[in-house]
Amino acid sequence: MAKLTKAAFIEALKEMTLLEIKELVDGLKEEFGIDPTAVAAAPAAAAAAEEEQTEFDVILKTFGSTKIAVIKIVREVTGLGLADAKKLTETADAVIKEKIKKEDADALKDRLQEAGATVEVK
């Protein structure tokens, strides 16, 4: 029996109908216990799982009972003026900082929470 090359196999696939290809895949599953579609998808799924989030957003949910303290922190970390910082603090789900390191996001979250705010890091 002549060895089937990759190129010959691909050429043969090009001439098959979708139903014939499905039957071929089913035959491979049955004969070898493998799912070629799962094997092809596995590297992509593994790469996506390995990719760790490196940039985080700090979102102010509510300012709590000490709005002035929260406004001061928001002014400090954003560089905004008083009116803009107040407006941002009073905005629901306001993004205070975007795309920062995990350590920086956690530190900012802790500072805002100590001032009485409810904060989320995404």
Side-chain angles (χ1 to χ4, degrees):
M1 180 172 178
K3 183 177 178 183
L4 180 64
T5 65
K6 179 180 170 184
F9 183 73
I10 291 172
E11 283 303 314
L13 281 175
K14 287 179 181 178
E15 295 177 17
M16 297 173 99
T17 66
L18 287 177
L19 181 59
E20 291 171 328
I21 293 173
K22 182 190 178 312
E23 289 171 354
L24 175 65
V25 169
D26 291 342
L28 289 171
K29 286 180 194 177
E30 196 174 298
E31 181 72 26
F32 300 107
I34 60 167
D35 182 357
T37 57
V39 172
E50 289 177 15
E51 201 171 297
E52 188 177 322
Q53 184 177 357
T54 58
E55 295 179 332
F56 298 85
D57 296 344
V58 178
I59 301 165
L60 180 64
K61 296 302 223 174
T62 62
F63 52 79
S65 61
T66 55
K67 182 164 75 171
I68 294 174
V70 174
I71 291 171
K72 286 181 181 181
I73 295 170
V74 170
R75 282 188 68 195
E76 180 184 325
V77 298
T78 61
L80 295 173
L82 180 59
D84 292 332
K86 180 180 180 291
K87 184 177 179 181
L88 184 62
T89 302
E90 292 171 342
T91 303
D93 297 333
V95 178
I96 304 301
K97 280 291 210 177
E98 291 182 301
K99 298 179 181 175
I100 60 175
K101 294 179 188 174
K102 176 73 173 161
E103 301 83 30
D104 296 339
D106 288 338
L108 179 54
K109 177 182 176 183
D110 291 342
R111 284 185 64 200
L112 288 165
Q113 285 179 334
E114 286 173 12
T118 305
V119 182
E120 180 179 302
V121 175
K122 283 189 177 181

